[in-house]
Amino acid sequence: MVKVRKTITRITCASLMAMGIALGTSTVMATSAVAQDAAVEGRQFGTKAGTKVNEAQTLGTNGQYGAANALLNEALSIEGLNAYERSTIYTMLGQFYYEQDQLGQALSNFQNAINAGGMLPKEIDSLEVSIAQLMIANGQYTEGARRLEAWVNRTGQRNPKYTELLMQAWIQADNYNAALPWAEEWFRSASPKERKHFDTLNFLYNNLGMQGRQADIVKEMIVRWPEDKTLWDNWTSLLANGGRETEAFEVNKMLYLGGALTSEQDLLKIVQYYSYYDMPYQAALILEKEMNAQRISRNADRLVQLSDLFRQAREYKRALPVLEAAANASGRSKSWADYGEALYNEGDCGKAQTAFQKAMDMGYDRGKSWMLIATCLYEEGQADERPSCDMTREQRISSPKVIKNNNAIAAFRKVPATSREYSSAKKWITFVSDENQAYEDRCEFMANLERDLCFIKMDNAEEARIFNEGKFVLEEEDQYCMPFKGAWEEARGLQSSE
């Protein structure tokens, strides 16, 4: 505002001098030569008006603007004023109102001075630029910028001062498209270029969505001010928003490895980047490291995030203590269920069942919980040897594998009928029960197979009596069949030969 005031004061004073008015003198005239020219052109004051204007001029010089304006308004009421007189009086009024910070009145009188028709083209040009700048100073950004732009284009006076003022006016008017060419011209002509020149272009390119140009200017700024982290943040945002996520990740990774990322928000962002690019293990290591360094808060949410990352990386053993800590810290059913699932993946069914029980006590899905508990018990039994047919039936029923199968069946039966898992649980019950029955059926089959084979051998021995002097004789290698002889005789309706 101060710069605009000085400019307007200088130009309006120059306009008054050009019109033959010397501020601070006692007469409204210039040199005799100018006065003679003015007389020829009708550019002079009559005695009555000239006296009032001279008095007003003296008052204005002494800072008595109110009194000066009163005299000038009296002068305007004098009949028969010529155009030159009216233009001069309006110009002086505009100047004095401006000195009183009454910008609206100043603008109105400057415009009246032009409209009165008593000014030469050069004088109009001088006043036009003052009006344009005064409008901008008065908050009439669009109209002021248009008038100043028209004046600059008409006169060819592409002064850096006017270029900057036009840029600022259009920015204040939120017309960034109109501001851009003036901003780029201001940038090109600046020597040396300061931070404000770069910041202005960065601002305009950003608001106009010109990401390519903005990226170029930000890159140049980073070269000049590499320590400014805000610029790096802008650069990575531009890359990400421009569909160059990989490059944005590489920049962030470089900043992290270089120690430039120190805030919790920035550190969490790098963790998210690693996770997003399918590197959950590296993300987990960074999160764990920064939590231990107390640069990232060690709270329930962060513990859950860390455990999730370890689980995504299939590092279930590393996830277990974190999950347990998260469950204890958060008191959430989901955290206990996650801990139970991790224990399930590690095959620790006892602890898994305890964790799932806590989750269910807090309201977690009972169907899902019991399904995982039952599945864990069944899978745990797969490592055990299946019962041998050399065992008695009682021994087979109490074998580790059958016991775990029965425990799994009992767990499957606890899946509520209203659960989405109920149908699967029923199928599992059938499947595991059939597996247990298959052990018995197999042993029964094996036993019957041996008996039937022995019956055949005994049938052959019975038919061979005529060759053995009427004796029932089994070959030596078939002696294992003798325990079945009584059953054979009973099946064939024969009397015992013993």
Side-chain angles (χ1 to χ4, degrees), residues 478-489:
D478 297 331
Q479 291 300 311
Y480 70 90
C481 290
M482 288 304 294
F484 296 106
K485 189 169 184 293
W488 172 74
E489 288 174 338

Side-chain angles (χ1 to χ4, degrees), residues 353 357 360 366-367 369-378 401-416 422 425-426 428-433 436:
Q353 184 166 350
Q357 189 61 62
M360 287 187 284
R366 300 184 67 83
S369 297
W370 282 114
M371 277 295 290
L372 286 171
I373 292 169
T375 304
C376 186
L377 292 169
Y378 173 74
K401 191 176 190 68
V402 174
I403 288 175
K404 288 174 183 176
N405 278 1
N406 287 332
N407 289 339
I409 291 170
F412 281 126
R413 292 190 191 281
K414 291 184 179 180
V415 174
Y422 183 67
K426 287 178 64 179
W428 270 103
I429 290 169
T430 301
F431 174 78
V432 180
S433 297
N436 282 347

Side-chain angles (χ1 to χ4, degrees), residues 294-352:
Q294 298 183 344
R295 297 205 297 177
I296 291 180
S297 303
R298 190 179 185 85
N299 54 40
D301 289 337
R302 295 284 81 83
L303 288 168
V304 169
Q305 182 182 9
L306 178 59
S307 64
D308 286 344
L309 289 169
F310 275 131
R311 290 165 66 210
Q312 289 170 27
R314 301 184 185 280
E315 292 285 336
Y316 299 114
K317 285 185 178 179
R318 294 199 65 169
L320 285 175
V322 181
L323 280 166
E324 185 177 15
N328 282 309
S330 69
R332 300 172 190 162
S333 62
K334 176 70 165 55
S335 297
W336 281 108
D338 289 341
Y339 180 43
E341 189 170 347
L343 289 164
Y344 155 72
N345 286 318
E346 286 299 304
D348 194 338
C349 298
K351 288 184 177 180

